[in-house]
Amino acid sequence: MAINENAELEELIRNSGGTAPVEVESEEENTGIDTTTLLMVARRSLPWMVLLILLGITAAWTFLRYTKPLYKSSSTLKIDEKEDAGALGLGQTLGAAVETRQKLNSLSGEVELIKSNLIYRQLKDSLDLDVNYYSQGTVLENELYGTSPFHVDYTITDPALYNTRFSVLFTSATKFQLSHEGHETAAEYTIDTPIELPGVTLRLAKTKNFTEDALNRSFQFVIHDDASINRYFDENLTVEIVNPEANTIGISFTDHNPRKARDIVNRIDTVYLVAKLTKNTQSQQQIMQYLDKQLELTRDSLQRAEIALQSFAKRAKMYDVRSGVQTITDQLDEQEKERQALQRRLELLTSVARLTSRDRIARDENASIDQSVPGLSQLEDPVLTQQITELNAAQQDLRRVLRSNTEATEAVQLRRANVAYAKRNVQESLQQSLQMVREQLATLNQQRDKLNSELQVLPQRETERARLQRPFDLYEKSYLMLMDKRVEYSIAKAGTTPDFQILSPASMPMAPISPVRLMIYAIGLAGGIFMGLALVAVRYFMHNSVTNIRELERNTVAPVLGVIPTYDKEKLLVSKLIVDKNPKSAISESIRSIRTNLEFMASSKKKRLISITSTISGEGKTFVAVNLGGIIASSEQRVVILDLDMRKPKVNLAFGAENVKGISTILIERHTWQECVQHTSIPTLDFISAGPTPPNPSELILSPKFDEVLAELHQHYDVIMIDTPPVGLVTDGILIMRKADIPIYIVRAHYSKKVFLKNINKLIRANGFTRLATILNDARSSGVYGYGYGYGYGYGYGYGYGQGYYEDTQEKLSWWKRFRKLFA
């Protein structure tokens, strides 16, 4: 009730406009962090922080409990890629960047091959992934991969039944009930018997995993179509290039079943192996076909080139034109030598013929024929030499006979006939030799001319031969190379192996990749801590009430007279005088301290007028006025308390008196102050109640009569204590504070808003209240002695208060109450 009233009053203070004398200033943003307040808020929020941390850890445990673990199995492959052209030796050396790009493109192609429908289809066929089996656990559903107690054969004619969940309940070892989505009514069937249903034919058979535990247990199975299986592979299969330089590819698969993830990865490796072998075999067959075709074409071309060379050789009568040139040159040289030899022989024969035509060959009888005919030995003709020798002998015999005989003698004539005969023989031989030499020279000349003509034709033939030789050499080289490659590839084909290696095969994952227990608990703990810190931050920034004296001193320029602690031994519906009943209590001591501090502001040897006010009701001004007055009166000073809160008087309630007359009737001169003074249990403490509520309290306070009353009271009392209305609501309080020697402003801990402190500073600046002091009321103490009170204060607007106090001695607290008090 009090909280709602305070909220209404704050709103009224903020929106009072010109009605209220003081408009509360808007709260400024703090430029720093209030460490004391922050620690206080943190201490009070500690149980909630612990609760939020426990809540975060509980949420993490709940998440782990109701989340299926996800496992990941991986393998690494090394691809030994090589181009077919490189394998045949037909490739060219490429740059490093081009080779790297080609290698990366090749690996990318292998990645797409592994993620292709070709591999997916073989996976589905080899692992029977078209039907999934499940059993219902305590919380989560478990997939029975490889452990299902039954197996389903199916034929679906209605595609709508794909991806539909069928439920199976074994009622006995041979009977089971079957239902599916859309047909929840279960029917009983026999195991190993075909079941004809609309759109599907099923046959359920037991497996080796069927035991008695399967009886009366609920199982489900789902028949997947190709699209859902491919989607399942696409979502869970990851194939990536690990290291392009090393040609390594990583294959990983995620699933809630670790065994299934491992089997799928290993099966992918196997299927990929088969696919690569098939691809390599097909590639090798294509290469062999290519080699055979090229060999046939090259062989035909080589045969045509051979025929062309043969025709050229036949036509040119030589194969090697360059060697033919050398042969002709050699022949010309030989002919030249032979011609020169014949020419010398011709000259020798001519010289011999000239010598033999003379009458005397030898110069004298003693000269030999070789000396007479020097060139005869070079002719190397023994017949001619013999004939010349006979001629020389006949001539010598003739000369000898002539020396003793005359021409007419028979002997001379006989000798001359012999000489003529011999000479004729020599001349005939010489003529024959000369004729033969001339004929040989003519033949040599003809042969020389022929060879020269052939030599002139040889460049053209060489060009033709080179033109024919080039394709022949090319076809021959290609044919031999293709033959070698065919033999090599045939040998390589006999030992075909996959062009990749499994560096690390898939293994059974032992720990899930998601959720990671440590990480989830860490997140839960961090989330709890974060929410706890956020709670502290929110409570700190939303903390707009004064909690301790440090906040009061830091936010106001007015001095603090003292602190009145909280004490909650009893609840009081209205403020009461309690210091007379508990003179040694902590609250009495705190008010005595305030009384002592007042001595420094205004000596008790002088008459003093003290006004007590607050921003709004409920902050304890009436309680402080009554009990401070009681403490001052206990020091042998006469004190009178005036209740000027005429709109809602409460001082009379504190003393348990009536309010039929008082300040309002005095100011309208219906009664005198002596008639309105009421006495209390303390002899030196009197009070005057507010009296009936007037329609114009402010005008009455402004009247001269009020000053006259104060002057008369000063003559009879040492201290006049005035309980004024709240200055945040009406102007009456400020009017009285201007007349007071010591204006006191009450601030209630954990009740008064920090924005109220701005009101105190504004009062001091606007009205010059340099002697204004503050009191922190209802401050919670952690010591042994303390007290608390609560109260409600009612005006015509409808608000009230009540308060209660503890004595110095406390009851023994339980451990739970002591624990709660630590964070209070």
Side-chain angles (χ1 to χ4, degrees), residues 712-725:
E712 294 177 4
L713 290 175
H714 270 303
Q715 297 176 3
H716 294 82
Y717 293 95
D718 299 315
V719 177
I720 301 176
M721 189 81 64
I722 302 177
D723 182 9
T724 68

PDB file of all heavy atoms in Angstrom, residues 712-725:
ATOM      1  N   GLU A 712       5.387  34.216  21.626  1.00  0.00           N
ATOM      2  CA  GLU A 712       4.904  33.868  22.953  1.00  0.00           C
ATOM      3  C   GLU A 712       5.465  32.528  23.417  1.00  0.00           C
ATOM      4  O   GLU A 712       5.814  32.347  24.595  1.00  0.00           O
ATOM      5  CB  GLU A 712       3.374  33.831  22.965  1.00  0.00           C
ATOM      6  CG  GLU A 712       2.743  35.210  22.739  1.00  0.00           C
ATOM      7  CD  GLU A 712       1.212  35.147  22.687  1.00  0.00           C
ATOM      8  OE1 GLU A 712       0.671  34.017  22.912  1.00  0.00           O
ATOM      9  OE2 GLU A 712       0.573  36.159  22.403  1.00  0.00           O
ATOM     10  N   LEU A 713       5.561  31.561  22.503  1.00  0.00           N
ATOM     11  CA  LEU A 713       6.089  30.252  22.867  1.00  0.00           C
ATOM     12  C   LEU A 713       7.566  30.344  23.233  1.00  0.00           C
ATOM     13  O   LEU A 713       8.055  29.600  24.097  1.00  0.00           O
ATOM     14  CB  LEU A 713       5.896  29.257  21.713  1.00  0.00           C
ATOM     15  CG  LEU A 713       4.444  28.849  21.446  1.00  0.00           C
ATOM     16  CD1 LEU A 713       4.376  27.969  20.196  1.00  0.00           C
ATOM     17  CD2 LEU A 713       3.873  28.105  22.655  1.00  0.00           C
ATOM     18  N   HIS A 714       8.315  31.223  22.585  1.00  0.00           N
ATOM     19  CA  HIS A 714       9.723  31.418  22.909  1.00  0.00           C
ATOM     20  C   HIS A 714       9.911  31.904  24.354  1.00  0.00           C
ATOM     21  O   HIS A 714      10.960  31.649  24.957  1.00  0.00           O
ATOM     22  CB  HIS A 714      10.364  32.402  21.935  1.00  0.00           C
ATOM     23  CG  HIS A 714      10.944  31.751  20.711  1.00  0.00           C
ATOM     24  ND1 HIS A 714      11.890  30.766  20.761  1.00  0.00           N
ATOM     25  CD2 HIS A 714      10.705  31.960  19.383  1.00  0.00           C
ATOM     26  CE1 HIS A 714      12.210  30.377  19.534  1.00  0.00           C
ATOM     27  NE2 HIS A 714      11.493  31.111  18.661  1.00  0.00           N
ATOM     28  N   GLN A 715       8.902  32.576  24.856  1.00  0.00           N
ATOM     29  CA  GLN A 715       9.023  33.064  26.211  1.00  0.00           C
ATOM     30  C   GLN A 715       8.869  31.944  27.247  1.00  0.00           C
ATOM     31  O   GLN A 715       9.341  32.071  28.377  1.00  0.00           O
ATOM     32  CB  GLN A 715       7.963  34.158  26.480  1.00  0.00           C
ATOM     33  CG  GLN A 715       8.159  35.383  25.597  1.00  0.00           C
ATOM     34  CD  GLN A 715       7.052  36.421  25.800  1.00  0.00           C
ATOM     35  OE1 GLN A 715       6.149  36.252  26.656  1.00  0.00           O
ATOM     36  NE2 GLN A 715       7.113  37.499  25.022  1.00  0.00           N
ATOM     37  N   HIS A 716       8.223  30.859  26.869  1.00  0.00           N
ATOM     38  CA  HIS A 716       7.944  29.794  27.809  1.00  0.00           C
ATOM     39  C   HIS A 716       8.747  28.526  27.518  1.00  0.00           C
ATOM     40  O   HIS A 716       8.856  27.674  28.419  1.00  0.00           O
ATOM     41  CB  HIS A 716       6.446  29.458  27.794  1.00  0.00           C
ATOM     42  CG  HIS A 716       5.578  30.564  28.312  1.00  0.00           C
ATOM     43  ND1 HIS A 716       5.169  31.656  27.533  1.00  0.00           N
ATOM     44  CD2 HIS A 716       5.044  30.783  29.551  1.00  0.00           C
ATOM     45  CE1 HIS A 716       4.426  32.445  28.244  1.00  0.00           C
ATOM     46  NE2 HIS A 716       4.334  31.943  29.508  1.00  0.00           N
ATOM     47  N   TYR A 717       9.306  28.373  26.306  1.00  0.00           N
ATOM     48  CA  TYR A 717       9.983  27.124  25.961  1.00  0.00           C
ATOM     49  C   TYR A 717      11.373  27.438  25.407  1.00  0.00           C
ATOM     50  O   TYR A 717      11.602  28.491  24.792  1.00  0.00           O
ATOM     51  CB  TYR A 717       9.194  26.336  24.918  1.00  0.00           C
ATOM     52  CG  TYR A 717       7.864  25.824  25.437  1.00  0.00           C
ATOM     53  CD1 TYR A 717       6.696  26.554  25.211  1.00  0.00           C
ATOM     54  CD2 TYR A 717       7.790  24.619  26.139  1.00  0.00           C
ATOM     55  CE1 TYR A 717       5.480  26.097  25.687  1.00  0.00           C
ATOM     56  CE2 TYR A 717       6.568  24.156  26.619  1.00  0.00           C
ATOM     57  CZ  TYR A 717       5.425  24.873  26.390  1.00  0.00           C
ATOM     58  OH  TYR A 717       4.226  24.411  26.864  1.00  0.00           O
ATOM     59  N   ASP A 718      12.274  26.449  25.656  1.00  0.00           N
ATOM     60  CA  ASP A 718      13.630  26.606  25.128  1.00  0.00           C
ATOM     61  C   ASP A 718      13.730  26.178  23.660  1.00  0.00           C
ATOM     62  O   ASP A 718      14.506  26.748  22.894  1.00  0.00           O
ATOM     63  CB  ASP A 718      14.603  25.755  25.962  1.00  0.00           C
ATOM     64  CG  ASP A 718      14.621  26.186  27.428  1.00  0.00           C
ATOM     65  OD1 ASP A 718      14.671  27.398  27.661  1.00  0.00           O
ATOM     66  OD2 ASP A 718      14.588  25.289  28.283  1.00  0.00           O
ATOM     67  N   VAL A 719      12.978  25.162  23.300  1.00  0.00           N
ATOM     68  CA  VAL A 719      13.034  24.628  21.925  1.00  0.00           C
ATOM     69  C   VAL A 719      11.618  24.496  21.400  1.00  0.00           C
ATOM     70  O   VAL A 719      10.737  23.947  22.093  1.00  0.00           O
ATOM     71  CB  VAL A 719      13.731  23.260  21.882  1.00  0.00           C
ATOM     72  CG1 VAL A 719      13.701  22.712  20.458  1.00  0.00           C
ATOM     73  CG2 VAL A 719      15.159  23.371  22.377  1.00  0.00           C
ATOM     74  N   ILE A 720      11.404  25.048  20.226  1.00  0.00           N
ATOM     75  CA  ILE A 720      10.126  24.873  19.531  1.00  0.00           C
ATOM     76  C   ILE A 720      10.391  23.912  18.372  1.00  0.00           C
ATOM     77  O   ILE A 720      11.164  24.221  17.465  1.00  0.00           O
ATOM     78  CB  ILE A 720       9.565  26.208  19.019  1.00  0.00           C
ATOM     79  CG1 ILE A 720       9.356  27.174  20.187  1.00  0.00           C
ATOM     80  CG2 ILE A 720       8.275  25.971  18.251  1.00  0.00           C
ATOM     81  CD1 ILE A 720       8.894  28.559  19.764  1.00  0.00           C
ATOM     82  N   MET A 721       9.766  22.757  18.410  1.00  0.00           N
ATOM     83  CA  MET A 721       9.944  21.720  17.374  1.00  0.00           C
ATOM     84  C   MET A 721       8.693  21.711  16.510  1.00  0.00           C
ATOM     85  O   MET A 721       7.582  21.511  17.026  1.00  0.00           O
ATOM     86  CB  MET A 721      10.143  20.351  18.026  1.00  0.00           C
ATOM     87  CG  MET A 721      10.539  19.251  17.065  1.00  0.00           C
ATOM     88  SD  MET A 721      12.306  19.281  16.690  1.00  0.00           S
ATOM     89  CE  MET A 721      12.998  18.936  18.301  1.00  0.00           C
ATOM     90  N   ILE A 722       8.863  21.980  15.209  1.00  0.00           N
ATOM     91  CA  ILE A 722       7.714  22.090  14.289  1.00  0.00           C
ATOM     92  C   ILE A 722       7.741  20.915  13.312  1.00  0.00           C
ATOM     93  O   ILE A 722       8.735  20.699  12.619  1.00  0.00           O
ATOM     94  CB  ILE A 722       7.730  23.426  13.524  1.00  0.00           C
ATOM     95  CG1 ILE A 722       7.717  24.614  14.494  1.00  0.00           C
ATOM     96  CG2 ILE A 722       6.566  23.496  12.557  1.00  0.00           C
ATOM     97  CD1 ILE A 722       7.795  25.966  13.806  1.00  0.00           C
ATOM     98  N   ASP A 723       6.651  20.171  13.296  1.00  0.00           N
ATOM     99  CA  ASP A 723       6.442  19.104  12.303  1.00  0.00           C
ATOM    100  C   ASP A 723       5.728  19.721  11.113  1.00  0.00           C
ATOM    101  O   ASP A 723       4.538  20.001  11.160  1.00  0.00           O
ATOM    102  CB  ASP A 723       5.634  17.974  12.925  1.00  0.00           C
ATOM    103  CG  ASP A 723       5.425  16.824  11.935  1.00  0.00           C
ATOM    104  OD1 ASP A 723       6.047  16.847  10.852  1.00  0.00           O
ATOM    105  OD2 ASP A 723       4.634  15.918  12.243  1.00  0.00           O
ATOM    106  N   THR A 724       6.484  19.971  10.017  1.00  0.00           N
ATOM    107  CA  THR A 724       5.941  20.681   8.858  1.00  0.00           C
ATOM    108  C   THR A 724       5.411  19.692   7.828  1.00  0.00           C
ATOM    109  O   THR A 724       5.758  18.501   7.836  1.00  0.00           O
ATOM    110  CB  THR A 724       7.020  21.562   8.222  1.00  0.00           C
ATOM    111  OG1 THR A 724       8.003  20.701   7.635  1.00  0.00           O
ATOM    112  CG2 THR A 724       7.676  22.451   9.268  1.00  0.00           C
ATOM    113  N   PRO A 725       4.567  20.176   6.908  1.00  0.00           N
ATOM    114  CA  PRO A 725       4.134  19.304   5.808  1.00  0.00           C
ATOM    115  C   PRO A 725       5.315  18.985   4.891  1.00  0.00           C
ATOM    116  O   PRO A 725       6.326  19.695   4.876  1.00  0.00           O
ATOM    117  CB  PRO A 725       3.073  20.145   5.083  1.00  0.00           C
ATOM    118  CG  PRO A 725       2.697  21.223   6.037  1.00  0.00           C
ATOM    119  CD  PRO A 725       3.913  21.483   6.870  1.00  0.00           C
TER     120      PRO A 725
END
